[in-house]
Amino acid sequence: MEFSEVNGLLHGGDYNADQWLDRPEILKEDIQLMKKAGVNVVTLGIFSWASLEPEEGVFTFEWLDQIMDSMYENGIYVILATPSAGKPPWMAKKYPEIMQTDRARVRHLYGRRKTQCNSSKVYQEKVRIIDEKLAARYAHHPALLMWHISNEVSGECHCSDCQENFRKWLKNKYGTIDNLNKQYCSKFWSHTYNDWSEIESPAPHGESAVHGLMLDYKRFSSDMLIRFVKMELDIVKKYNPDIPVTTNMYDVNCEVNYNRLADILDVTSWDSYPLWHCGTDKKSEWKKAVEAAFHFDFCRSLKHAPFVLMESTTSTNNHFEISKLKRPGMHMLSSMQAVACGSDSVMYFQWRQSLGAYEKFHSAVVSHNGSEDTRVFHDVVEVGEKVRSLFFIKNTKTWSDVAIIYDWENMRALYEQKNLRNHNQEYDVIMYEHYEAILKNYVSVDIIDQSADFSKYKLIIAPMLYMFKTGTQEKIKNYVEQGGNFVMTYYSGIVNENDLCFECWSPYGLNDVFGVKSEEIDSLCDDEYNQFTYNGKVYKAKFYCDLLNVCGAEVLSKYECDFYAGRPVLTKNNYKQGMAYYIACRSEKDFLYDFYHTLIDETGIRRIIDSPYVDSVMVKERADEESRYVFYMNFSVEQRTICGIQLAGYEVQLKKEKRILEK
Amino acid sequence: MEFSEVNGLLHGGDYNADQWLDRPEILKEDIQLMKKAGVNVVTLGIFSWASLEPEEGVFTFEWLDQIMDSMYENGIYVILATPSAGKPPWMAKKYPEIMQTDRARVRHLYGRRKTQCNSSKVYQEKVRIIDEKLAARYAHHPALLMWHISNEVSGECHCSDCQENFRKWLKNKYGTIDNLNKQYCSKFWSHTYNDWSEIESPAPHGESAVHGLMLDYKRFSSDMLIRFVKMELDIVKKYNPDIPVTTNMYDVNCEVNYNRLADILDVTSWDSYPLWHCGTDKKSEWKKAVEAAFHFDFCRSLKHAPFVLMESTTSTNNHFEISKLKRPGMHMLSSMQAVACGSDSVMYFQWRQSLGAYEKFHSAVVSHNGSEDTRVFHDVVEVGEKVRSLFFIKNTKTWSDVAIIYDWENMRALYEQKNLRNHNQEYDVIMYEHYEAILKNYVSVDIIDQSADFSKYKLIIAPMLYMFKTGTQEKIKNYVEQGGNFVMTYYSGIVNENDLCFECWSPYGLNDVFGVKSEEIDSLCDDEYNQFTYNGKVYKAKFYCDLLNVCGAEVLSKYECDFYAGRPVLTKNNYKQGMAYYIACRSEKDFLYDFYHTLIDETGIRRIIDSPYVDSVMVKERADEESRYVFYMNFSVEQRTICGIQLAGYEVQLKKEKRILEK
Amino acid sequence: MEFSEVNGLLHGGDYNADQWLDRPEILKEDIQLMKKAGVNVVTLGIFSWASLEPEEGVFTFEWLDQIMDSMYENGIYVILATPSAGKPPWMAKKYPEIMQTDRARVRHLYGRRKTQCNSSKVYQEKVRIIDEKLAARYAHHPALLMWHISNEVSGECHCSDCQENFRKWLKNKYGTIDNLNKQYCSKFWSHTYNDWSEIESPAPHGESAVHGLMLDYKRFSSDMLIRFVKMELDIVKKYNPDIPVTTNMYDVNCEVNYNRLADILDVTSWDSYPLWHCGTDKKSEWKKAVEAAFHFDFCRSLKHAPFVLMESTTSTNNHFEISKLKRPGMHMLSSMQAVACGSDSVMYFQWRQSLGAYEKFHSAVVSHNGSEDTRVFHDVVEVGEKVRSLFFIKNTKTWSDVAIIYDWENMRALYEQKNLRNHNQEYDVIMYEHYEAILKNYVSVDIIDQSADFSKYKLIIAPMLYMFKTGTQEKIKNYVEQGGNFVMTYYSGIVNENDLCFECWSPYGLNDVFGVKSEEIDSLCDDEYNQFTYNGKVYKAKFYCDLLNVCGAEVLSKYECDFYAGRPVLTKNNYKQGMAYYIACRSEKDFLYDFYHTLIDETGIRRIIDSPYVDSVMVKERADEESRYVFYMNFSVEQRTICGIQLAGYEVQLKKEKRILEK
């Protein structure tokens, strides 16, 4: 059965049943408790390799047969994982070459998880064997809903195999060593390569000065991980092409380019772990909620389709410095937030707390005390009931007029290189700032990369798009030409995709579109500010300040301090059918809210609701052709009123309305 | 002669005479200065291996003969060390396998001290040879008072020998690999071992996720060090079983389980280095004094007998970031504090400052200028006179009704694992807080571990006893049943001795004894607080907050904030003959003082003096059958009055009283 | 042509022409732009090895011929570099043994720059070959003004070759292993060496406790680097002894002892990178200016002759955390400051920004946009004009009556060892404090080491001269005896040149000269102070406080707090013809200004101008026999008036006066 054909939303989570095989009473009890909790899906087998292949070539699927049958009998779907994120000790003992080699060129000893080299031939062979067996056995099992490839794929390796693969990858990319030398500007410090064999991956005790190389190793590592997922995916698809395949994502700064990973998946899924309630700042829940929403919107935008919330916590997460209990109401609120942003599931890591090891204090539906009479269990039951009642949300979509560009390659370039600020580029934080300003205007937004189709948006925002990949300046030009609204900021259009500076005034190729050219960029210390006035209010300028020369743009605001007082800080340029805005410095969140508020008004972008921002209240919308479902979510512990609706602390309410189609 | 037969207290210190063998006039002068300083003991030979065996198999004891004879002739006892803490360069050059291998699996190069692998067969053989020679030659020397095995034993090694030893140790502990897998919860992340040979010690680039393994390696390392001390001890005992044996301890968080080390020693001894006078906080001397007293009480409690203050400083200690001079009065006060807590000696590292290398700025009795006309020398003379006058203190004891459990294995479990707070468990700091509250009530206290005999105490306090070893819950139950008073806190009784969670409401096995069961534990950020009221005063709740369900206990106080307002924070339960108290959160020091003040009153525990706490004044007692000796110690620089006694800044006074026997 | 024969000052900078060989139009444009910018010198070839020897034994000098000819034709001098700071990848690939081995004994992989072992025989052979070729080809080229050996030489290596070299170096220094053992105080911790072969260089996982060894490795490494420069220098001199040789220095805390390096050079040169404008403190430019001036005065004092400002920035420096733009005026001001302190050039890194890699955002005369219509280019043009107009400054000198001792070996001893303060000895900061106090008195000052000729100064200041090399106490005694004024501070005269403590009261050998002897030294925490009164004002005492006993000195001020209240803090002793001052503690900058102000008055030392210190205004002087040229430099952004001269923010003015010869 296809995921989209499931009748209603999913509720459930990771079930590490193999930890309890010697305790059949526990397994029996779990079924009863799952029913009480309204669970209709479990994820099985993520770290079960040692239980499935206890010795090399010896396979023990009987326990899994039994669990899967039992689930089916009890009406619970199974998302079945390939076990490739955790190898058994015997494998590392017999084939030490499967272990990851870090940047310092130290090959790891057995331990933890995801510490293998996913490109190791031996490892891939071992994965192939177990995957084939799993797929052959379960691809047509009636409980099987979806394949879950590996777990939170990430990591980079520097073993000799990876060095060889990297050289091949480079050869494929650059063709000739001369071309590579040129793109790496390798005459700098006399680093001209004569031969591919001279190239080594970056190392703390080796190369770190050639930016192109640093960046390419990140790209190569991402490609290798995606290739690994593809290998596993092809195996399971071979046995039943109808079962959808996903893998759980978890970090927008991950080593993997998720936009490219999503290309090969049927469904995207996300592991969400905001650190709720930590800190004494009353605004902190809102901040976490914004970041979580960004991640959900990002995950949904990857395929412009509903996604799976694959992991979330029922209460504490012991990976953090401080494990806070979820406060009453927060479990419902945070679960519904995922749904509001496009998830067709609410799922947990994990069903039952493990008794020992690294995550023994990670919360679960069932705690160490095994009782159903706990606050946490009651919270889960309540969410289960709510999830069941929201069956109509399934497969509804999100329509966005606005997109923000968060580009993985740009991010890598900003983080791997020497910049004009070297202690923190804060690309993600800056992203959240623009995103929050749109959110607070109660407007739907997609998160895309520079390779995306721009044409469907009325407004595209590209904060700090330092790197223009080949053709990006053309895409932007065409987009504006044809009537789009484009917002660009400081520190944009400076380098090509190999981090080679454009020989021009930035932003590259777009001086006519934006009507400005940037001559210099000032970096400000963390406690240092310039200022400017917009809509009658004074705002701080900080972080980076572009010093622009105007060539056609209308100047909306100017710097007011320092030697560049009087130079433009905010400009607008009517280019053909569209409008191009340039924000020359980083500023305060309030400025962005104010600026986008005006812009949304001027461009007639549709708001989900017509209300000024109410403190800590987030509003999200899903819709089908006829109806729209508006989620009102209060991330303050205090009561709020919005559009006449009263929301208690941490309350979520859903309103269904007839959808008026536009466009 | 036995240590306990020495007539009076010891005064002296480390004498590195071999640094001055080419300067006979210095050695002669030292004797004269020692007499002036009232020195009656020196420790010889701690780092003399290079002087005793300058080449492999070539031994040069003549110089030591001479020094020992000279000491004897001048009435100075000798504590003679085995030289195993510092090997000569020739040994590492010829046998590189003796050097320690660290967690990163890097074998150390020669350098510093204690950098060998004490389990190395070659090293042990070399130690055996030199120890046999030393013991054969000096075991009956008339100056010999005590053997000093090695120096501040500590450290862990990960060489291949240690890996093999560890596997044997595990086999011995667990019997079968299945049993080990079960205790390690090794199915988690697929870590099931098939064979002992697959096990490797923890490594930053290897295993760190299996908590049982992490903990066992700490235990194994401690066992290996104790076995090493035992090997040396057996050698020296063979030649003269009447000479007592000690080794100097120095850190309650040491790699060695001192409770187990003490089992094999005749006498315990301590190296005490509080960082006096550092900081501008006037209360800071009191804080240091509390910690020093805790260490002394700990060292005395190990064998419930007087101990040796083996090392202390005459003024600066150049290991610290800042080397402060001891202020006038502090040398006498800090020396007497050790005696007050049970030391039968005042001894220094070191007699004469070395001219070069790592500790050249560590203070000594005789400074680089060689003069006796220095403030430091005068201070030492004064202490020498005082020590001589206190001959009657020798062998007097400390009687305590109260014990605090500071458990080495519990400490290791708290520090090696993921917890609900991961940045600092502060087990030692929490310990000092409870200890200080008892101290300020002027009550004698012992420091014990969970293996101790509980029966002799009226009150036992177990702060954060996270781990219950097999039978601990039974011991506590029996203790309370038979009339004991037991105080337990948050985060207790959660895991077994292999860090495997109990499947119950904590504290494990004691819900009926305490009348409470803990459902959840909230962790608070460092600047976050709940609150409660006790004896009419409001106190902060912080760090960990247990959320208790009451099953029989009397609730003495409740949380007043957050969603768990109204749940108990302090409970009392009358269980059979005894009383069981549960403190559900960490609080302020003032609360503990107040709480224990009431408890001491209610349980009729004897106070050394009957006085409320006077700021910065510590009172300690030693006693024999007839008399008790009360030390009044003022750790403030200002004058204080207590029980009618006026104490100048940093003054100590001793009052002898007739002892009224109780019990 | 000799550098001193150049008619006027130099203006130009690093020209990495080989990055643009495939862009002849750029090279042509560069000539035009250089003319516009008033450039009369370029530095060529610093990192050109890959362009000069693209394959082993294949040499391609044609492009360099062309550039040099082109420079000559356009009247631009060339400073030609040997390329030894950056080797090409092929070399590391073929001869991995040329790569540096770090303290952890990890041999580096190819990458970055200066990562080779300069003592490697293979490396030296490769350098010899390329240097011979370069020198043979260009030593008589008419454009050649100077040789530039390597680049910012630094670094230490621990490869097996270096271990062998170190043992030879030690053998040469100590003669016998017994002598080394004695100087290393090696009986401490049993470290007595039997044989040279047992010695290994310091390592984090090996030796760090033998201070003599730590120090000797720093000396050895410095000697090796100087020997390497000498090897290169001898080669180029062989072909034309008339061309002067320099190498660019950059850090007073460098691994190289610059005083010894300068001995072999014809001209010294400096790379100056103050972090202008960073921070919101308005005083911060002054602070940076003081440090820059110290470095310039240091560089000039090395040979008591004008030096070359080899590198400076036109605006941002992307090595820093924050790259600030140079504010209007600062480029002129900072360039003129170098000239004021003795530079006969203003030169930049770099002429044209590289398009990629590590320094692509380091500012240049020509930016990525290639335009001459930028603020930066205009600034450079203006400086070019000013430099041309100052032709008469060329070869003028600086006469100083005052010298401050900044001793490289003393610095190494303070930084490599355990001290009475271990977190920061701040030797350089303390140096700047004394230097600034002299600067603010508008007095010329030289920076010398303890090996210098003392006789030409009226006042010598030796802050924290912890180490006395052999004879230093005699030199100081003779200097004072013959009428000199000498200022010594706390923590001085404590160890000999091998960090072995003198067996006396410090300062060693000078108790009679200073009339004091130091008994103890108190270390103060960072927020802790004592105090004293001088000239009616109360000042803080901090950091180190010597506790002195007076033996003849006049006490000018006493400690006022703590137990050493009443002991001297400032003394003065008339010894034969001279005067010896002792400052027993570190204090505030204002005290030093006040103290030196009085001292300068009393000793009749000549002031450049007769004015009290005007905030942020620096005054420096250069002179020939007839005239003196006084530079008035305002490092405040606000206007200042000094001696009737009005200075705008960041303005510099030069006044020429008739010189009145004295002495």
Side-chain angles (χ1 to χ4, degrees), chain A residues 103 105 182 184-185 187-194 197-198 200-201 203-211 417-424 466 491 494-495 499-505 518-529 545 547 549 562-564 567, chain C residues 18-23 26 47-51 54-55 86-90 93 102 106-113 277-280 315-316 318-328 349 352 354-361 367-369 371 373-376:
Chain A
R103 284 206 165 197
R105 306 301 193 257
K182 190 158 180 176
Y184 283 4
C185 190
K187 289 210 175 161
F188 178 78
W189 288 355
S190 214
H191 286 211
T192 311
Y193 296 109
N194 286 350
S197 66
E198 289 166 10
E200 294 268 348
S201 68
H205 61 302
E207 192 56 273
S208 67
V210 178
H211 290 176
Q417 324 301 344
K418 289 299 260 187
N419 284 285
L420 289 172
R421 291 172 64 89
N422 290 312
H423 63 302
N424 196 348
Y466 163 76
Y491 214 60
I494 294 174
V495 297
D499 206 57
L500 211 51
C501 289
F502 294 119
E503 293 172 73
C504 69
W505 309 78
S518 170
E519 178 182 336
E520 302 178 85
I521 303 172
D522 198 27
S523 305
L524 278 66
C525 300
D526 287 349
D527 58 350
E528 200 185 3
Y529 304 99
C545 288
L547 274 56
N549 295 316
D562 214 331
F563 78 95
Y564 44 93
R567 291 184 84 149
Chain C
D18 44 330
Q19 288 178 25
W20 312 92
L21 296 182
D22 58 345
R23 307 275 294 278
I26 295 275
F47 288 105
S48 294
W49 202 334
S51 300
E55 293 174 53
K87 62 276 153 206
W90 61 254
K93 173 82 182 164
D102 64 22
V106 173
R107 189 162 74 192
H108 283 215
L109 300 172
Y110 182 79
R112 294 174 287 126
R113 56 177 173 172
H277 312 298
C278 207
T280 52
S315 187
T316 59
N318 79 326
H319 285 269
F320 292 122
E321 288 299 285
I322 299 289
S323 299
K324 299 293 298 180
L325 299 175
K326 264 186 171 177
R327 268 52 192 161
F349 179 85
R352 186 179 275 273
S354 65
L355 295 181
Y358 206 72
E359 290 176 342
K360 67 179 179 293
F361 290 131
S367 307
H368 293 133
N369 57 37
S371 170
D373 191 20
T374 64
R375 199 177 64 90
V376 165

Side-chain angles (χ1 to χ4, degrees), chain C residues 46-47 85 113-114 148-153 247-248 271 311:
Chain C
I46 294 184
F47 288 105
R113 56 177 173 172
K114 301 194 289 179
H148 177 294
I149 300 295
S150 207
N151 184 60
E152 295 184 349
V153 289
T247 184
N248 50 341
D271 296 349
E311 295 184 16

Side-chain angles (χ1 to χ4, degrees), chain B residues 18-23 47-51 54-55 86-90 93 106-113 277-280 318-325 327-328 354-361 368-369 371 373-376, chain C residues 105 182 184-185 187-194 197-198 200 203-211 417-423 466 491 494-495 499-505 518-525 527-528 547 562-564:
Chain B
D18 44 330
Q19 288 178 25
W20 312 92
L21 297 182
D22 59 343
R23 306 275 295 276
F47 289 105
S48 294
W49 204 333
S51 300
E55 294 174 51
K87 62 278 153 203
W90 60 255
K93 173 84 183 165
V106 173
R107 189 162 75 193
H108 284 214
L109 300 173
Y110 182 80
R112 293 174 287 127
R113 54 175 176 172
H277 311 298
C278 205
T280 52
N318 78 325
H319 284 269
F320 292 122
E321 289 298 286
I322 298 290
S323 299
K324 298 293 297 182
L325 298 176
R327 267 50 192 163
S354 65
L355 295 182
Y358 206 71
E359 290 177 340
K360 67 179 180 292
F361 290 131
H368 293 133
N369 57 38
S371 170
D373 191 18
T374 64
R375 197 176 65 90
V376 166
Chain C
R105 306 302 192 257
K182 190 157 182 178
Y184 283 4
C185 190
K187 288 211 174 159
F188 178 79
W189 288 355
S190 214
H191 286 211
T192 311
Y193 296 109
N194 286 349
S197 67
E198 289 166 13
E200 294 267 349
H205 61 304
E207 193 56 274
S208 66
V210 177
H211 289 175
Q417 325 297 347
K418 289 299 259 187
N419 285 285
L420 289 172
R421 293 172 65 90
N422 290 311
H423 63 303
Y466 164 76
Y491 214 60
I494 293 174
V495 298
D499 206 57
L500 211 52
C501 290
F502 294 119
E503 293 172 72
C504 68
W505 309 79
S518 170
E519 179 182 336
E520 301 177 87
I521 303 172
D522 198 27
S523 304
L524 278 67
C525 299
D527 58 350
E528 201 185 1
L547 274 57
D562 213 331
F563 77 94
Y564 45 93

Side-chain angles (χ1 to χ4, degrees), chain A residues 38 72 87 431 492 576 578-579:
Chain A
Y72 181 66
K87 62 276 152 204
M431 205 54 53
S492 288
K576 312 234 167 133
M579 203 63 84

Side-chain angles (χ1 to χ4, degrees), chain A residues 264-312:
Chain A
I264 66 167
L265 301 175
D266 298 308
V267 179
T268 57
S269 57
W270 196 259
D271 297 348
S272 179
Y273 291 109
L275 186 44
W276 301 115
H277 311 297
C278 206
T280 52
D281 175 12
K282 285 191 172 182
K283 302 275 186 199
S284 71
E285 307 319 319
W286 171 254
K287 188 171 172 287
K288 312 262 165 55
V290 169
E291 294 174 17
F294 181 89
H295 301 152
F296 295 144
D297 281 352
F298 170 81
C299 187
R300 185 199 68 239
S301 302
L302 287 171
K303 296 195 84 71
H304 296 287
F307 66 95
V308 172
L309 173 65
M310 185 65 83
E311 296 183 16
S312 66

Side-chain angles (χ1 to χ4, degrees), chain A residues 238-492:
Chain A
K238 195 171 62 179
Y239 287 86
N240 184 350
D242 294 340
I243 299 294
V245 176
T246 192
T247 184
N248 50 342
M249 302 171 177
Y250 71 108
D251 180 2
V252 292
N253 295 327
C254 183
E255 279 93 348
V256 184
N257 183 335
Y258 283 158
N259 289 85
R260 297 296 72 81
L261 178 58
D263 292 343
I264 66 167
L265 301 175
D266 298 308
V267 179
T268 57
S269 57
W270 196 259
D271 297 348
S272 179
Y273 291 109
L275 186 44
W276 301 115
H277 311 297
C278 206
T280 52
D281 175 12
K282 285 191 172 182
K283 302 275 186 199
S284 71
E285 307 319 319
W286 171 254
K287 188 171 172 287
K288 312 262 165 55
V290 169
E291 294 174 17
F294 181 89
H295 301 152
F296 295 144
D297 281 352
F298 170 81
C299 187
R300 185 199 68 239
S301 302
L302 287 171
K303 296 195 84 71
H304 296 287
F307 66 95
V308 172
L309 173 65
M310 185 65 83
E311 296 183 16
S312 66
T313 183
T314 61
S315 187
T316 58
N317 177 337
N318 78 325
H319 283 269
F320 292 123
E321 288 299 284
I322 298 289
S323 299
K324 298 293 298 180
L325 299 176
K326 264 185 170 177
R327 267 51 192 163
M330 184 50 86
H331 186 52
M332 177 64 79
L333 178 61
S334 60
S335 298
M336 287 306 106
Q337 188 193 17
V339 174
C341 292
S343 174
D344 275 2
S345 78
V346 174
M347 294 173 63
Y348 314 120
F349 178 83
Q350 53 189 340
W351 171 254
R352 187 178 275 274
Q353 281 189 301
S354 65
L355 295 181
Y358 206 72
E359 289 175 342
K360 67 178 181 292
F361 289 131
H362 198 300
S363 62
V365 180
V366 182
S367 307
H368 293 133
N369 56 39
S371 170
E372 65 190 82
D373 191 19
T374 63
R375 198 175 64 90
V376 165
F377 195 84
H378 295 315
D379 279 357
V380 171
V381 168
E382 205 185 347
V383 167
E385 284 161 10
K386 173 64 85 181
V387 164
R388 197 176 322 123
S389 75
L390 295 184
F391 63 91
F392 52 83
I393 293 295
K394 173 78 188 175
N395 288 334
T396 56
K397 298 215 165 156
T398 305
W399 272 267
S400 305
D401 287 341
V402 180
I404 296 179
I405 295 178
Y406 180 75
D407 191 272
W408 186 88
E409 297 184 70
N410 185 52
M411 181 264 286
R412 282 295 154 212
L414 287 170
Y415 288 166
E416 300 299 318
Q417 324 301 344
K418 289 299 260 187
N419 284 285
L420 289 172
R421 291 172 64 89
N422 290 312
H423 63 302
N424 196 348
Q425 288 298 97
E426 296 190 26
Y427 184 52
D428 49 359
V429 178
I430 287 166
M431 205 54 53
Y432 298 143
E433 289 172 1
H434 286 263
Y435 175 76
E436 181 179 353
I438 301 300
L439 259 193
K440 288 162 76 174
N441 274 291
Y442 299 130
V443 164
S444 286
V445 58
D446 285 355
I447 313 299
I448 61 175
D449 72 356
Q450 59 185 299
S451 74
D453 173 14
F454 289 179
S455 68
K456 54 173 146 178
Y457 300 104
K458 289 191 181 161
L459 170 62
I460 294 176
I461 300 162
M464 210 156 65
L465 194 59
Y466 163 76
M467 167 192 287
F468 280 4
K469 296 192 65 180
T470 307
T472 289
Q473 76 284 4
E474 280 307 315
K475 281 185 70 173
I476 296 171
K477 192 173 209 156
N478 292 340
Y479 172 74
V480 178
E481 210 166 82
Q482 288 158 31
N485 296 285
F486 202 98
V487 176
M488 178 147 285
T489 78
Y490 51 92
Y491 214 60
S492 288

